[in-house]
Amino acid sequence: MVKNLYQILGVNKDASENEIKSAYRKLARKYHPDLNKDDKTAAEKFKEISCAYDILGDKEKRKKYDNNEIDADGKPTGFGAGGFGGGGFGGGNYRTYTQEGFGPQGAEFDFSSIFGDDIFSAFSGGRGGTRGFGGGFGGQPRARKGADINYTMKIDFLSAVQGSEQNVNIGGKKINVKIPAGTVDGQTLRLKGLGETGLNGGAAGDVMITLNVAPHPYFKLDGKNILLELPLSLKEAILGTKVTVPTISGKVMVTIPPYTANGEKMRLKGKGVKGGDQIITLKVLTPKTKSPDLEKALAAMPDEKVRNF
């Protein structure tokens, strides 16, 4: 059965780049090998969706796939915009048959077992000839890109939102990973050319790093904004006060005006990520211990209409 990359990611053919990226991240988190240990089905599914995103997540590769210039494994088909003769038997590009279908995995079949030895003599003057079908069957082995390496990295919240550099050891190589500011949980970084060595002079594969961002005790990320809930006592809310609050770049002093209502918000300009803000939601807490003086003071206050029903 011919694979459909759009179906693998669960998106329509006209899906936007963001929709494709979002679908990939969701599936990658679901089937990641680190979260599905000893589950070979999940590992194969993760590999399948990673291969699909490698093509659909790249504008040029996606265009070639849509035009049938490359197949679901990223290999030239010989069809599409160039026509049959431009990349198939007449153009010298051909697909390698393997026990798993088309692609770099599995043992290669001997073409003579399919066509017979005479097919090589008929077209190239012998099996060792250099012409073959358009220079394909009898020529040099085709270069193949090395396999990608998938790796999961755990980082703390501040390292993710502020940006940082981490040194990791992957496949025996010490790699310096630059984490961009505003990184979110589940985001994948691609390090070009740091994967497995290619075959027959082919390019090296890539390292795909999935980032697991640990939650922070009181900060949350919302786009470029940092969210923070600030608890206030009833006294602080009614009389007003000054409070020292944390930000991702250090502590600042804020003034709470008198008669602050529960749920009101304050904005600290520029205290978010990449020019974003910090949004503080004020949370007024009522006393948990009995206070006769407070009860007497409240009882002396005039009744106030606070409901419209």
Side-chain angles (χ1 to χ4, degrees), residues 195-232:
E196 299 290 350
T197 303
L199 299 177
N200 305 320
D206 305 328
V207 169
M208 308 289 291
I209 299 181
T210 300
L211 299 171
N212 286 347
V213 180
H216 195 273
Y218 37 84
F219 289 135
K220 289 185 179 180
L221 180 64
D222 181 21
K224 292 184 178 182
N225 294 332
I226 295 293
L227 307 182
L228 172 71
E229 276 194 354
L230 178 62
L232 294 175

PDB file of all heavy atoms in Angstrom, residues 195-232:
ATOM      1  N   GLY A 195      23.696  13.550  12.513  1.00  0.00           N
ATOM      2  CA  GLY A 195      23.164  12.207  12.688  1.00  0.00           C
ATOM      3  C   GLY A 195      24.128  11.133  12.181  1.00  0.00           C
ATOM      4  O   GLY A 195      25.348  11.329  12.153  1.00  0.00           O
ATOM      5  N   GLU A 196      23.561  10.000  11.758  1.00  0.00           N
ATOM      6  CA  GLU A 196      24.381   8.892  11.277  1.00  0.00           C
ATOM      7  C   GLU A 196      25.074   9.248   9.961  1.00  0.00           C
ATOM      8  O   GLU A 196      24.566  10.024   9.157  1.00  0.00           O
ATOM      9  CB  GLU A 196      23.511   7.644  11.080  1.00  0.00           C
ATOM     10  CG  GLU A 196      22.828   7.138  12.347  1.00  0.00           C
ATOM     11  CD  GLU A 196      23.800   6.528  13.335  1.00  0.00           C
ATOM     12  OE1 GLU A 196      24.971   6.326  12.956  1.00  0.00           O
ATOM     13  OE2 GLU A 196      23.403   6.262  14.478  1.00  0.00           O
ATOM     14  N   THR A 197      26.259   8.654   9.757  1.00  0.00           N
ATOM     15  CA  THR A 197      27.031   8.888   8.538  1.00  0.00           C
ATOM     16  C   THR A 197      26.277   8.354   7.330  1.00  0.00           C
ATOM     17  O   THR A 197      25.656   7.284   7.388  1.00  0.00           O
ATOM     18  CB  THR A 197      28.410   8.200   8.641  1.00  0.00           C
ATOM     19  OG1 THR A 197      29.088   8.691   9.798  1.00  0.00           O
ATOM     20  CG2 THR A 197      29.249   8.481   7.408  1.00  0.00           C
ATOM     21  N   GLY A 198      26.322   9.096   6.216  1.00  0.00           N
ATOM     22  CA  GLY A 198      25.647   8.662   5.001  1.00  0.00           C
ATOM     23  C   GLY A 198      26.362   7.495   4.334  1.00  0.00           C
ATOM     24  O   GLY A 198      27.506   7.159   4.664  1.00  0.00           O
ATOM     25  N   LEU A 199      25.664   6.865   3.383  1.00  0.00           N
ATOM     26  CA  LEU A 199      26.217   5.741   2.640  1.00  0.00           C
ATOM     27  C   LEU A 199      26.644   6.187   1.249  1.00  0.00           C
ATOM     28  O   LEU A 199      25.998   7.032   0.620  1.00  0.00           O
ATOM     29  CB  LEU A 199      25.172   4.626   2.523  1.00  0.00           C
ATOM     30  CG  LEU A 199      24.670   4.014   3.837  1.00  0.00           C
ATOM     31  CD1 LEU A 199      23.584   2.986   3.557  1.00  0.00           C
ATOM     32  CD2 LEU A 199      25.818   3.377   4.598  1.00  0.00           C
ATOM     33  N   ASN A 200      27.731   5.618   0.772  1.00  0.00           N
ATOM     34  CA  ASN A 200      28.210   5.892  -0.588  1.00  0.00           C
ATOM     35  C   ASN A 200      28.403   7.390  -0.844  1.00  0.00           C
ATOM     36  O   ASN A 200      28.063   7.905  -1.910  1.00  0.00           O
ATOM     37  CB  ASN A 200      27.238   5.303  -1.623  1.00  0.00           C
ATOM     38  CG  ASN A 200      26.998   3.829  -1.424  1.00  0.00           C
ATOM     39  OD1 ASN A 200      27.931   3.092  -1.113  1.00  0.00           O
ATOM     40  ND2 ASN A 200      25.758   3.379  -1.585  1.00  0.00           N
ATOM     41  N   GLY A 201      28.923   8.085   0.178  1.00  0.00           N
ATOM     42  CA  GLY A 201      29.178   9.507   0.005  1.00  0.00           C
ATOM     43  C   GLY A 201      27.981  10.397   0.261  1.00  0.00           C
ATOM     44  O   GLY A 201      28.052  11.609   0.028  1.00  0.00           O
ATOM     45  N   GLY A 202      26.886   9.838   0.730  1.00  0.00           N
ATOM     46  CA  GLY A 202      25.693  10.630   0.999  1.00  0.00           C
ATOM     47  C   GLY A 202      25.856  11.508   2.226  1.00  0.00           C
ATOM     48  O   GLY A 202      26.747  11.294   3.055  1.00  0.00           O
ATOM     49  N   ALA A 203      24.994  12.509   2.340  1.00  0.00           N
ATOM     50  CA  ALA A 203      25.057  13.437   3.469  1.00  0.00           C
ATOM     51  C   ALA A 203      24.722  12.721   4.769  1.00  0.00           C
ATOM     52  O   ALA A 203      23.986  11.739   4.793  1.00  0.00           O
ATOM     53  CB  ALA A 203      24.081  14.593   3.247  1.00  0.00           C
ATOM     54  N   ALA A 204      25.259  13.251   5.861  1.00  0.00           N
ATOM     55  CA  ALA A 204      24.944  12.688   7.178  1.00  0.00           C
ATOM     56  C   ALA A 204      23.506  13.029   7.551  1.00  0.00           C
ATOM     57  O   ALA A 204      22.933  14.008   7.064  1.00  0.00           O
ATOM     58  CB  ALA A 204      25.906  13.241   8.225  1.00  0.00           C
ATOM     59  N   GLY A 205      22.915  12.214   8.395  1.00  0.00           N
ATOM     60  CA  GLY A 205      21.557  12.485   8.867  1.00  0.00           C
ATOM     61  C   GLY A 205      21.568  13.630   9.875  1.00  0.00           C
ATOM     62  O   GLY A 205      22.593  14.270  10.114  1.00  0.00           O
ATOM     63  N   ASP A 206      20.421  13.891  10.462  1.00  0.00           N
ATOM     64  CA  ASP A 206      20.275  14.985  11.418  1.00  0.00           C
ATOM     65  C   ASP A 206      20.019  14.424  12.819  1.00  0.00           C
ATOM     66  O   ASP A 206      19.658  13.256  12.984  1.00  0.00           O
ATOM     67  CB  ASP A 206      19.103  15.896  11.013  1.00  0.00           C
ATOM     68  CG  ASP A 206      19.249  16.420   9.598  1.00  0.00           C
ATOM     69  OD1 ASP A 206      20.398  16.623   9.159  1.00  0.00           O
ATOM     70  OD2 ASP A 206      18.212  16.628   8.934  1.00  0.00           O
ATOM     71  N   VAL A 207      20.202  15.280  13.806  1.00  0.00           N
ATOM     72  CA  VAL A 207      19.811  14.954  15.185  1.00  0.00           C
ATOM     73  C   VAL A 207      18.518  15.705  15.488  1.00  0.00           C
ATOM     74  O   VAL A 207      18.441  16.916  15.311  1.00  0.00           O
ATOM     75  CB  VAL A 207      20.904  15.354  16.196  1.00  0.00           C
ATOM     76  CG1 VAL A 207      20.371  15.269  17.620  1.00  0.00           C
ATOM     77  CG2 VAL A 207      22.128  14.442  16.049  1.00  0.00           C
ATOM     78  N   MET A 208      17.485  14.972  15.883  1.00  0.00           N
ATOM     79  CA  MET A 208      16.186  15.545  16.207  1.00  0.00           C
ATOM     80  C   MET A 208      16.015  15.506  17.727  1.00  0.00           C
ATOM     81  O   MET A 208      15.912  14.433  18.321  1.00  0.00           O
ATOM     82  CB  MET A 208      15.069  14.752  15.531  1.00  0.00           C
ATOM     83  CG  MET A 208      15.259  14.558  14.033  1.00  0.00           C
ATOM     84  SD  MET A 208      15.031  16.082  13.115  1.00  0.00           S
ATOM     85  CE  MET A 208      13.280  16.317  13.329  1.00  0.00           C
ATOM     86  N   ILE A 209      16.038  16.701  18.342  1.00  0.00           N
ATOM     87  CA  ILE A 209      15.954  16.784  19.803  1.00  0.00           C
ATOM     88  C   ILE A 209      14.573  17.279  20.218  1.00  0.00           C
ATOM     89  O   ILE A 209      14.180  18.398  19.884  1.00  0.00           O
ATOM     90  CB  ILE A 209      17.039  17.724  20.363  1.00  0.00           C
ATOM     91  CG1 ILE A 209      18.432  17.189  20.000  1.00  0.00           C
ATOM     92  CG2 ILE A 209      16.896  17.865  21.872  1.00  0.00           C
ATOM     93  CD1 ILE A 209      19.558  18.049  20.531  1.00  0.00           C
ATOM     94  N   THR A 210      13.829  16.436  20.927  1.00  0.00           N
ATOM     95  CA  THR A 210      12.536  16.822  21.476  1.00  0.00           C
ATOM     96  C   THR A 210      12.748  17.333  22.895  1.00  0.00           C
ATOM     97  O   THR A 210      13.357  16.651  23.726  1.00  0.00           O
ATOM     98  CB  THR A 210      11.565  15.625  21.496  1.00  0.00           C
ATOM     99  OG1 THR A 210      11.385  15.144  20.156  1.00  0.00           O
ATOM    100  CG2 THR A 210      10.202  16.049  22.049  1.00  0.00           C
ATOM    101  N   LEU A 211      12.261  18.545  23.167  1.00  0.00           N
ATOM    102  CA  LEU A 211      12.496  19.186  24.453  1.00  0.00           C
ATOM    103  C   LEU A 211      11.307  18.998  25.392  1.00  0.00           C
ATOM    104  O   LEU A 211      10.175  19.315  25.032  1.00  0.00           O
ATOM    105  CB  LEU A 211      12.760  20.684  24.243  1.00  0.00           C
ATOM    106  CG  LEU A 211      13.995  21.005  23.392  1.00  0.00           C
ATOM    107  CD1 LEU A 211      14.044  22.490  23.067  1.00  0.00           C
ATOM    108  CD2 LEU A 211      15.262  20.578  24.097  1.00  0.00           C
ATOM    109  N   ASN A 212      11.579  18.463  26.559  1.00  0.00           N
ATOM    110  CA  ASN A 212      10.572  18.341  27.612  1.00  0.00           C
ATOM    111  C   ASN A 212      10.842  19.432  28.642  1.00  0.00           C
ATOM    112  O   ASN A 212      11.841  19.382  29.358  1.00  0.00           O
ATOM    113  CB  ASN A 212      10.637  16.964  28.279  1.00  0.00           C
ATOM    114  CG  ASN A 212      10.079  15.870  27.389  1.00  0.00           C
ATOM    115  OD1 ASN A 212       9.444  16.155  26.386  1.00  0.00           O
ATOM    116  ND2 ASN A 212      10.332  14.622  27.735  1.00  0.00           N
ATOM    117  N   VAL A 213       9.955  20.425  28.701  1.00  0.00           N
ATOM    118  CA  VAL A 213      10.145  21.569  29.592  1.00  0.00           C
ATOM    119  C   VAL A 213       9.425  21.301  30.910  1.00  0.00           C
ATOM    120  O   VAL A 213       8.207  21.074  30.926  1.00  0.00           O
ATOM    121  CB  VAL A 213       9.619  22.865  28.947  1.00  0.00           C
ATOM    122  CG1 VAL A 213       9.826  24.054  29.889  1.00  0.00           C
ATOM    123  CG2 VAL A 213      10.308  23.114  27.612  1.00  0.00           C
ATOM    124  N   ALA A 214      10.173  21.326  32.007  1.00  0.00           N
ATOM    125  CA  ALA A 214       9.578  21.097  33.323  1.00  0.00           C
ATOM    126  C   ALA A 214       8.708  22.282  33.719  1.00  0.00           C
ATOM    127  O   ALA A 214       9.060  23.434  33.444  1.00  0.00           O
ATOM    128  CB  ALA A 214      10.676  20.887  34.362  1.00  0.00           C
ATOM    129  N   PRO A 215       7.549  22.044  34.325  1.00  0.00           N
ATOM    130  CA  PRO A 215       6.690  23.155  34.768  1.00  0.00           C
ATOM    131  C   PRO A 215       7.352  23.951  35.884  1.00  0.00           C
ATOM    132  O   PRO A 215       8.158  23.424  36.647  1.00  0.00           O
ATOM    133  CB  PRO A 215       5.419  22.452  35.258  1.00  0.00           C
ATOM    134  CG  PRO A 215       5.860  21.059  35.599  1.00  0.00           C
ATOM    135  CD  PRO A 215       6.966  20.721  34.653  1.00  0.00           C
ATOM    136  N   HIS A 216       7.000  25.243  35.971  1.00  0.00           N
ATOM    137  CA  HIS A 216       7.546  26.119  37.008  1.00  0.00           C
ATOM    138  C   HIS A 216       6.561  26.191  38.169  1.00  0.00           C
ATOM    139  O   HIS A 216       5.348  26.062  37.968  1.00  0.00           O
ATOM    140  CB  HIS A 216       7.792  27.517  36.432  1.00  0.00           C
ATOM    141  CG  HIS A 216       8.671  28.373  37.282  1.00  0.00           C
ATOM    142  ND1 HIS A 216       8.171  29.149  38.308  1.00  0.00           N
ATOM    143  CD2 HIS A 216      10.016  28.575  37.271  1.00  0.00           C
ATOM    144  CE1 HIS A 216       9.181  29.794  38.883  1.00  0.00           C
ATOM    145  NE2 HIS A 216      10.303  29.465  38.277  1.00  0.00           N
ATOM    146  N   PRO A 217       7.043  26.413  39.383  1.00  0.00           N
ATOM    147  CA  PRO A 217       6.132  26.469  40.543  1.00  0.00           C
ATOM    148  C   PRO A 217       5.073  27.559  40.441  1.00  0.00           C
ATOM    149  O   PRO A 217       3.950  27.383  40.932  1.00  0.00           O
ATOM    150  CB  PRO A 217       7.069  26.730  41.731  1.00  0.00           C
ATOM    151  CG  PRO A 217       8.407  26.269  41.283  1.00  0.00           C
ATOM    152  CD  PRO A 217       8.455  26.493  39.805  1.00  0.00           C
ATOM    153  N   TYR A 218       5.384  28.696  39.799  1.00  0.00           N
ATOM    154  CA  TYR A 218       4.382  29.771  39.738  1.00  0.00           C
ATOM    155  C   TYR A 218       4.321  30.514  38.410  1.00  0.00           C
ATOM    156  O   TYR A 218       3.397  31.271  38.183  1.00  0.00           O
ATOM    157  CB  TYR A 218       4.608  30.801  40.875  1.00  0.00           C
ATOM    158  CG  TYR A 218       6.031  31.096  41.232  1.00  0.00           C
ATOM    159  CD1 TYR A 218       6.773  32.025  40.527  1.00  0.00           C
ATOM    160  CD2 TYR A 218       6.637  30.436  42.302  1.00  0.00           C
ATOM    161  CE1 TYR A 218       8.089  32.298  40.879  1.00  0.00           C
ATOM    162  CE2 TYR A 218       7.951  30.694  42.648  1.00  0.00           C
ATOM    163  CZ  TYR A 218       8.678  31.623  41.934  1.00  0.00           C
ATOM    164  OH  TYR A 218       9.974  31.881  42.276  1.00  0.00           O
ATOM    165  N   PHE A 219       5.264  30.336  37.505  1.00  0.00           N
ATOM    166  CA  PHE A 219       5.202  30.960  36.183  1.00  0.00           C
ATOM    167  C   PHE A 219       4.529  30.032  35.175  1.00  0.00           C
ATOM    168  O   PHE A 219       4.648  28.809  35.257  1.00  0.00           O
ATOM    169  CB  PHE A 219       6.604  31.275  35.657  1.00  0.00           C
ATOM    170  CG  PHE A 219       7.302  32.399  36.372  1.00  0.00           C
ATOM    171  CD1 PHE A 219       8.634  32.265  36.745  1.00  0.00           C
ATOM    172  CD2 PHE A 219       6.652  33.591  36.654  1.00  0.00           C
ATOM    173  CE1 PHE A 219       9.298  33.287  37.394  1.00  0.00           C
ATOM    174  CE2 PHE A 219       7.301  34.619  37.303  1.00  0.00           C
ATOM    175  CZ  PHE A 219       8.621  34.473  37.679  1.00  0.00           C
ATOM    176  N   LYS A 220       3.852  30.642  34.203  1.00  0.00           N
ATOM    177  CA  LYS A 220       3.349  29.920  33.042  1.00  0.00           C
ATOM    178  C   LYS A 220       3.624  30.772  31.805  1.00  0.00           C
ATOM    179  O   LYS A 220       3.653  32.002  31.880  1.00  0.00           O
ATOM    180  CB  LYS A 220       1.845  29.636  33.154  1.00  0.00           C
ATOM    181  CG  LYS A 220       1.493  28.584  34.195  1.00  0.00           C
ATOM    182  CD  LYS A 220       0.006  28.265  34.181  1.00  0.00           C
ATOM    183  CE  LYS A 220      -0.334  27.199  35.212  1.00  0.00           C
ATOM    184  NZ  LYS A 220      -1.786  26.876  35.219  1.00  0.00           N
ATOM    185  N   LEU A 221       3.833  30.097  30.656  1.00  0.00           N
ATOM    186  CA  LEU A 221       4.114  30.804  29.411  1.00  0.00           C
ATOM    187  C   LEU A 221       2.867  30.836  28.550  1.00  0.00           C
ATOM    188  O   LEU A 221       2.206  29.820  28.344  1.00  0.00           O
ATOM    189  CB  LEU A 221       5.253  30.104  28.657  1.00  0.00           C
ATOM    190  CG  LEU A 221       5.682  30.721  27.330  1.00  0.00           C
ATOM    191  CD1 LEU A 221       6.270  32.113  27.545  1.00  0.00           C
ATOM    192  CD2 LEU A 221       6.695  29.828  26.616  1.00  0.00           C
ATOM    193  N   ASP A 222       2.525  32.035  28.035  1.00  0.00           N
ATOM    194  CA  ASP A 222       1.393  32.203  27.135  1.00  0.00           C
ATOM    195  C   ASP A 222       1.860  33.048  25.958  1.00  0.00           C
ATOM    196  O   ASP A 222       1.799  34.275  25.996  1.00  0.00           O
ATOM    197  CB  ASP A 222       0.226  32.882  27.860  1.00  0.00           C
ATOM    198  CG  ASP A 222      -0.995  33.065  26.971  1.00  0.00           C
ATOM    199  OD1 ASP A 222      -1.101  32.339  25.966  1.00  0.00           O
ATOM    200  OD2 ASP A 222      -1.823  33.945  27.262  1.00  0.00           O
ATOM    201  N   GLY A 223       2.316  32.379  24.891  1.00  0.00           N
ATOM    202  CA  GLY A 223       2.906  33.108  23.779  1.00  0.00           C
ATOM    203  C   GLY A 223       4.195  33.767  24.227  1.00  0.00           C
ATOM    204  O   GLY A 223       5.139  33.101  24.662  1.00  0.00           O
ATOM    205  N   LYS A 224       4.240  35.101  24.150  1.00  0.00           N
ATOM    206  CA  LYS A 224       5.404  35.841  24.631  1.00  0.00           C
ATOM    207  C   LYS A 224       5.212  36.356  26.056  1.00  0.00           C
ATOM    208  O   LYS A 224       6.115  36.967  26.626  1.00  0.00           O
ATOM    209  CB  LYS A 224       5.699  37.031  23.704  1.00  0.00           C
ATOM    210  CG  LYS A 224       6.181  36.645  22.312  1.00  0.00           C
ATOM    211  CD  LYS A 224       6.544  37.884  21.514  1.00  0.00           C
ATOM    212  CE  LYS A 224       7.077  37.510  20.139  1.00  0.00           C
ATOM    213  NZ  LYS A 224       7.477  38.717  19.358  1.00  0.00           N
ATOM    214  N   ASN A 225       4.035  36.122  26.617  1.00  0.00           N
ATOM    215  CA  ASN A 225       3.729  36.641  27.951  1.00  0.00           C
ATOM    216  C   ASN A 225       3.985  35.599  29.038  1.00  0.00           C
ATOM    217  O   ASN A 225       3.799  34.396  28.826  1.00  0.00           O
ATOM    218  CB  ASN A 225       2.270  37.095  28.030  1.00  0.00           C
ATOM    219  CG  ASN A 225       1.995  38.294  27.139  1.00  0.00           C
ATOM    220  OD1 ASN A 225       2.892  39.091  26.867  1.00  0.00           O
ATOM    221  ND2 ASN A 225       0.770  38.433  26.688  1.00  0.00           N
ATOM    222  N   ILE A 226       4.394  36.087  30.200  1.00  0.00           N
ATOM    223  CA  ILE A 226       4.554  35.245  31.380  1.00  0.00           C
ATOM    224  C   ILE A 226       3.374  35.512  32.305  1.00  0.00           C
ATOM    225  O   ILE A 226       3.043  36.670  32.594  1.00  0.00           O
ATOM    226  CB  ILE A 226       5.870  35.565  32.111  1.00  0.00           C
ATOM    227  CG1 ILE A 226       7.074  35.206  31.239  1.00  0.00           C
ATOM    228  CG2 ILE A 226       5.938  34.820  33.440  1.00  0.00           C
ATOM    229  CD1 ILE A 226       7.240  33.728  30.989  1.00  0.00           C
ATOM    230  N   LEU A 227       2.715  34.453  32.750  1.00  0.00           N
ATOM    231  CA  LEU A 227       1.563  34.578  33.632  1.00  0.00           C
ATOM    232  C   LEU A 227       1.959  34.251  35.070  1.00  0.00           C
ATOM    233  O   LEU A 227       2.730  33.317  35.318  1.00  0.00           O
ATOM    234  CB  LEU A 227       0.438  33.635  33.183  1.00  0.00           C
ATOM    235  CG  LEU A 227       0.004  33.738  31.710  1.00  0.00           C
ATOM    236  CD1 LEU A 227      -1.154  32.781  31.449  1.00  0.00           C
ATOM    237  CD2 LEU A 227      -0.377  35.160  31.347  1.00  0.00           C
ATOM    238  N   LEU A 228       1.408  35.033  36.014  1.00  0.00           N
ATOM    239  CA  LEU A 228       1.695  34.820  37.434  1.00  0.00           C
ATOM    240  C   LEU A 228       0.456  35.154  38.251  1.00  0.00           C
ATOM    241  O   LEU A 228      -0.169  36.194  38.035  1.00  0.00           O
ATOM    242  CB  LEU A 228       2.860  35.710  37.889  1.00  0.00           C
ATOM    243  CG  LEU A 228       3.157  35.740  39.392  1.00  0.00           C
ATOM    244  CD1 LEU A 228       3.760  34.408  39.831  1.00  0.00           C
ATOM    245  CD2 LEU A 228       4.084  36.897  39.741  1.00  0.00           C
ATOM    246  N   GLU A 229       0.083  34.278  39.178  1.00  0.00           N
ATOM    247  CA  GLU A 229      -0.985  34.561  40.135  1.00  0.00           C
ATOM    248  C   GLU A 229      -0.359  35.111  41.410  1.00  0.00           C
ATOM    249  O   GLU A 229       0.576  34.528  41.958  1.00  0.00           O
ATOM    250  CB  GLU A 229      -1.783  33.292  40.458  1.00  0.00           C
ATOM    251  CG  GLU A 229      -2.873  32.996  39.465  1.00  0.00           C
ATOM    252  CD  GLU A 229      -3.856  31.951  40.002  1.00  0.00           C
ATOM    253  OE1 GLU A 229      -3.608  31.385  41.092  1.00  0.00           O
ATOM    254  OE2 GLU A 229      -4.870  31.709  39.325  1.00  0.00           O
ATOM    255  N   LEU A 230      -0.886  36.258  41.890  1.00  0.00           N
ATOM    256  CA  LEU A 230      -0.353  36.893  43.089  1.00  0.00           C
ATOM    257  C   LEU A 230      -1.403  36.854  44.198  1.00  0.00           C
ATOM    258  O   LEU A 230      -2.399  37.575  44.141  1.00  0.00           O
ATOM    259  CB  LEU A 230       0.055  38.336  42.793  1.00  0.00           C
ATOM    260  CG  LEU A 230       0.590  39.143  43.978  1.00  0.00           C
ATOM    261  CD1 LEU A 230       1.857  38.496  44.528  1.00  0.00           C
ATOM    262  CD2 LEU A 230       0.839  40.589  43.575  1.00  0.00           C
ATOM    263  N   PRO A 231      -1.209  36.029  45.226  1.00  0.00           N
ATOM    264  CA  PRO A 231      -2.164  35.990  46.347  1.00  0.00           C
ATOM    265  C   PRO A 231      -2.076  37.273  47.183  1.00  0.00           C
ATOM    266  O   PRO A 231      -0.981  37.792  47.436  1.00  0.00           O
ATOM    267  CB  PRO A 231      -1.719  34.768  47.159  1.00  0.00           C
ATOM    268  CG  PRO A 231      -0.812  33.990  46.251  1.00  0.00           C
ATOM    269  CD  PRO A 231      -0.160  35.002  45.365  1.00  0.00           C
ATOM    270  N   LEU A 232      -3.240  37.779  47.612  1.00  0.00           N
ATOM    271  CA  LEU A 232      -3.310  38.958  48.484  1.00  0.00           C
ATOM    272  C   LEU A 232      -4.204  38.640  49.680  1.00  0.00           C
ATOM    273  O   LEU A 232      -5.222  37.956  49.529  1.00  0.00           O
ATOM    274  CB  LEU A 232      -3.884  40.160  47.733  1.00  0.00           C
ATOM    275  CG  LEU A 232      -3.072  40.752  46.578  1.00  0.00           C
ATOM    276  CD1 LEU A 232      -3.883  41.851  45.893  1.00  0.00           C
ATOM    277  CD2 LEU A 232      -1.735  41.294  47.051  1.00  0.00           C
TER     278      LEU A 232
END
